[in-house]
Amino acid sequence: MMNNLRNTIKLFVVALVCALSFTTNAQQLENHTNYFQLSPRVGYDFPTYKNNTPAIDYKGGLNLGLSLDYYWNTFGLGFDFDYIKNQPKSTFQTDNLYDAGGTQIIATNLFEDGITRVFYGIGPNAQFRSKTGRFKTEINTRFGLASIKVGRTLLENANPGNEILNFHAGYKDSGVFTFKGQVRFTYMLSNNFGINAGAYYMRHFGAQELVDPTLGVSAAYYDTVAFTGPTGEPGVRLEQGGFNLREEACDCDISSVGVFAGITYKFSKKVKEDVCEVCGEDHMPRCCATCGCGITVTARDKYTSETLPFTDVVLTDLNGNIVQSGTTNSYGVVVFNDVAEADYIVKGKLYDVSLEETSIEKAEFIACKKEGNSIQKVIEYGDLNFILKGNVVECNTNEGIQGVDIKLRDKIKPGQKNTLSDNSGAFIFHLKQASTYGLNGNKDGYFSNEVEVATSDYNRNQSLFIDLEMCVNPCGQSIKLDNIIFNLDKWDILPAARPDLDYVVKLMQDNPTISVEMSSHTDSRGSNPYNQTLSQKRAESTINYLMTKGISRDRLIARGAGETELLNRCADGIICEENEHTINRRTEFKVICPQ
């Protein structure tokens, strides 16, 4: 076997030298993309079997293989087949061997069956080519399955009884998961034929051993100790009690490395030596005469150059018929594939506003097919108004509210627009420059304050979009007014309280259908009747103030809660600090929406 390997390597070296001598001045090869190649090979495999059999060695053997690869360019995908033959070798000493009682074992019987491994695998390739393309280095990785069979090894005492000295049941396993990594050096003698050489590493994971049905074991062997025979000759003796049995089969890994040499055949398309039928020029690769081109359309703002996601784009013929349509992605780009050669118009619309059109001429398809690149077009949003991108949520949460009626009121020029928020709470308005707007949201069970947006604060040459988040409050929720403070035993409205009460006035003016309950609370100091009376008078004072601002009495409710709704532990008989009592002295309002 070793002689055959040496002869194979010599032939490969001679062939490589001859090939180099004949191709020193060779021209650059063609067709480095989208091709198949077939590479049969022969080599030698050096195995390592991790099966806990210390007195059995495994010798190298023949490897016959075949690779089928497809390369898009420098990267590809390949399939490998390998047939590998290895030979187990018993290393158990039989010269001057004595049994445990010191009697020499004169003769032994040895049976050694070869091991066959068959592998099928698939995986990615990468290659590095020289400038001419004649020499390339390929890196192949493969994942697949293998079958591993035979390899039974038996050494026994030839004396009566056939005592086992060294034994392994071998293998009979299929579907063994296997990895293979390989490097291959290929020299192309022509566009189609080449020679190759390389090396590989292969590993089988969890190969299942056999259990001998007669002996009932997977492996067995004797331990030996040094022993001097009756005539003084050195030898070994079977150790008493040293017989090792392994009844259970081992799921152990098998690995090997190997070298190989072979030939390569490249299935490449024949290159026509005429000019391109589309553009009439001599270039490679040739144009496609019948296929369409890709058209990439980018939508952007004319003044800020911002790209515009979610823009509806259509490709029409000159008669206005829609050929293809799409919506730009988050980068403001939409791609139309396989468009036939013709004249077209590209149109776009963003939130019901049309973008400036652009055209595609038939002549642009020639350059597209020649260069292999898509036709690039830009459509621009030229409207001078801002786009208000709003979002309405429940106050103090991030939860978007669907179906809120958003009212947009122009505070400079009379006018009003309405829209409904979508299922995520989003809404859109177009806003004129140099104007001020008020926004208010209405929905059953909710109320809101008016939010003001002044477009004079923004520069249209720097931004198209204005982002706004507004909130609506659920009805029936108590809201504390922090600055409603009264003097001791008094219920007169102090100047510091007026801004908070004016806030309530503005809220009721913005929401003319709601009512408001004003609640006054005291701490626990003083008697319950006194605190109840005092809190009622204070609640009435806030109602009277609101009425002076034009709020109808029938929309107002005064409620004195006294000390019945404390917020902490400071009830009667509990000693608390002043700041703890302060928490309970408060004024709240609750919005009551119409049923």
Side-chain angles (χ1 to χ4, degrees):
M1 183 65 71
M2 291 301 296
N3 290 333
N4 291 336
L5 177 62
R6 293 190 186 96
N7 292 333
T8 300
I9 296 175
K10 289 179 181 178
L11 288 174
F12 173 77
V13 173
V14 171
L16 180 60
V17 172
C18 293
L20 291 173
S21 64
F22 280 112
T23 57
T24 302
N25 298 317
Q27 297 179 353
Q28 181 171 333
L29 296 183
E30 303 290 347
N31 300 327
H32 294 315
T33 61
N34 301 320
Y35 66 89
F36 282 98
Q37 72 175 27
L38 186 66
S39 303
R41 61 184 177 273
V42 60
Y44 197 82
D45 182 85
F46 303 90
T48 300
Y49 287 72
K50 298 181 179 180
N51 54 15
N52 300 317
T53 53
I56 299 177
D57 193 11
Y58 291 85
K59 301 300 182 181
L62 177 69
N63 177 4
L64 296 176
L66 181 70
S67 294
L68 177 63
D69 303 283
Y70 182 84
Y71 281 99
W72 288 275
N73 193 329
T74 56
F75 290 96
L77 186 68
F79 168 82
D80 268 22
F81 165 80
D82 288 274
Y83 173 86
I84 302 171
K85 191 75 173 178
N86 296 138
Q87 182 66 38
K89 181 69 175 177
S90 174
T91 59
F92 194 94
Q93 181 176 335
T94 56
D95 294 332
N96 296 321
L97 175 63
Y98 297 84
D99 64 15
T103 301
Q104 186 172 10
I105 298 175
I106 304 301
T108 58
N109 297 323
L110 177 62
F111 305 90
E112 295 172 332
D113 294 330
I115 299 179
T116 300
R117 292 186 281 143
V118 179
F119 167 70
Y120 303 87
I122 190 170
N125 299 330
Q127 65 173 230
F128 306 89
R129 297 188 297 263
S130 64
K131 291 183 178 180
T132 63
R134 290 195 172 276
F135 183 81
K136 58 185 177 180
T137 300
E138 300 172 78
I139 298 176
N140 316 127
T141 56
R142 302 289 186 260
F143 298 90
L145 302 175
S147 64
I148 305 170
K149 297 182 180 180
V150 198
R152 188 174 189 273
T153 304
L154 173 62
L155 177 67
E156 60 183 11
N157 189 346
N159 293 334
N162 295 329
E163 181 183 25
I164 294 175
L165 303 177
N166 190 21
F167 172 75
H168 183 246
Y171 298 87
K172 189 178 181 181
D173 198 3
S174 59
V176 181
F177 178 73
T178 301
F179 165 78
K180 179 184 177 185
Q182 176 174 282
V183 60
R184 181 170 59 209
F185 304 97
T186 303
Y187 188 84
M188 299 302 297
L189 305 175
S190 66
N191 275 328
N192 300 102
F193 285 97
I195 53 177
N196 66 71
Y200 65 86
Y201 170 81
M202 181 181 294
R203 189 175 190 92
H204 310 284
F205 295 90
Q208 178 74 43
E209 295 174 310
L210 286 173
V211 175
D212 189 277
T214 302
L215 303 176
V217 298
S218 181
Y221 61 91
Y222 260 106
D223 290 330
T224 61
V225 295
F227 182 75
T228 302
T231 60
E233 69 279 14
V236 293
R237 175 178 58 81
L238 303 182
E239 187 175 9
Q240 292 184 357
F243 189 62
N244 300 281
L245 285 176
R246 180 159 53 82
E247 297 179 353
E248 294 183 359
C250 172
D251 292 336
C252 298
D253 291 359
I254 300 172
S255 62
S256 66
V257 295
V259 293
F260 61 87
I263 61 174
T264 294
Y265 181 80
K266 180 179 177 182
F267 298 86
S268 57
K269 297 179 180 179
K270 185 177 180 181
V271 179
K272 295 182 179 180
E273 296 181 355
D274 54 355
V275 296
C276 173
E277 59 182 306
V278 175
C279 61
E281 298 181 12
D282 185 10
H283 65 88
M284 290 298 298
R286 300 299 187 212
C287 300
C288 174
T290 58
C291 59
C293 276
I295 298 176
T296 301
V297 180
T298 302
R300 69 185 184 193
D301 181 50
K302 185 175 183 178
Y303 305 102
T304 65
S305 296
E306 294 176 84
T307 57
L308 304 177
F310 314 116
T311 302
D312 296 322
V313 182
V314 295
L315 188 66
T316 70
D317 60 22
L318 297 184
N319 296 320
N321 300 311
I322 296 177
V323 178
Q324 290 195 45
S325 63
T327 303
T328 59
N329 59 20
S330 58
Y331 300 100
V333 175
V334 63
V335 178
F336 300 124
N337 294 311
D338 200 24
V339 181
E341 183 177 325
D343 295 319
Y344 297 99
I345 302 296
V346 183
K347 302 178 182 180
K349 184 172 287 188
L350 177 65
Y351 304 127
D352 296 325
V353 176
S354 296
L355 279 70
E356 298 175 0
E357 301 176 357
T358 189
S359 62
I360 301 174
E361 297 181 356
K362 190 175 181 179
E364 296 180 63
F365 284 83
I366 296 178
C368 165
K369 293 181 178 182
K370 176 181 177 181
E371 303 297 334
N373 299 321
S374 64
I375 298 173
Q376 305 285 328
K377 289 294 174 179
V378 175
I379 52 175
E380 292 186 319
Y381 183 91
D383 191 273
L384 289 171
N385 291 330
F386 291 97
I387 297 177
L388 174 68
K389 297 175 67 175
N391 189 46
V392 58
V393 300
E394 183 175 318
C395 292
N396 301 316
T397 74
N398 294 321
E399 180 182 354
I401 304 296
Q402 181 182 9
V404 178
D405 181 13
I406 310 296
K407 178 178 68 176
L408 177 75
R409 182 172 59 88
D410 193 327
K411 291 188 172 183
I412 296 179
K413 296 181 180 180
Q416 178 177 312
K417 299 178 182 178
N418 288 74
T419 189
L420 291 176
S421 60
D422 64 16
N423 56 4
S424 64
F427 61 89
I428 293 292
F429 281 116
H430 296 277
L431 306 183
K432 298 177 182 179
Q433 297 188 55
S435 190
T436 302
Y437 296 89
L439 289 95
N440 187 271
N442 293 295
K443 183 178 180 179
D444 289 345
Y446 291 90
F447 68 94
S448 72
N449 290 95
E450 184 178 81
V451 178
E452 185 174 280
V453 175
T455 55
S456 57
D457 295 337
Y458 298 89
N459 186 339
R460 181 62 182 84
N461 291 319
Q462 296 178 356
S463 177
L464 166 62
F465 299 102
I466 297 175
D467 294 321
L468 173 72
E469 181 173 279
M470 59 182 296
C471 73
V472 292
N473 275 300
C475 297
Q477 188 180 75
S478 295
I479 301 174
K480 181 182 177 183
L481 298 171
D482 293 325
N483 296 314
I484 309 300
I485 300 172
F486 296 94
N487 289 329
L488 182 65
D489 294 332
K490 302 292 183 182
W491 49 87
D492 299 327
I493 299 297
L494 299 177
R498 291 172 184 170
D500 276 6
L501 293 174
D502 290 342
Y503 166 79
V504 178
V505 172
K506 181 68 168 58
L507 177 65
M508 299 188 74
Q509 291 172 342
D510 292 342
N511 299 271
T513 64
I514 67 172
S515 299
V516 167
E517 178 187 88
M518 302 297 295
S519 300
S520 179
H521 301 260
T522 68
D523 58 36
S524 62
R525 293 176 293 185
S527 67
N528 288 345
Y530 174 80
N531 287 335
Q532 182 64 42
T533 301
L534 179 62
S535 65
Q536 185 65 37
K537 290 180 179 180
R538 288 176 174 177
E540 293 288 350
S541 293
T542 61
I543 292 298
N544 292 335
Y545 179 86
L546 298 178
M547 291 173 59
T548 64
K549 297 296 183 177
I551 304 301
S552 174
R553 182 66 180 81
D554 59 10
R555 297 176 63 195
L556 300 169
I557 301 171
R559 185 174 76 93
E563 58 179 279
T564 61
E565 297 176 8
L566 301 176
L567 297 178
N568 56 24
R569 65 185 181 87
C570 299
D572 290 339
I574 303 298
I575 299 176
C576 292
E577 300 291 337
E578 178 61 31
N579 59 347
E580 293 180 287
H581 286 299
T582 301
I583 293 175
N584 294 316
R585 296 196 304 272
R586 66 195 187 279
T587 298
E588 299 173 340
F589 76 95
K590 180 188 297 183
V591 172
I592 303 173
C593 295
Q595 298 297 321

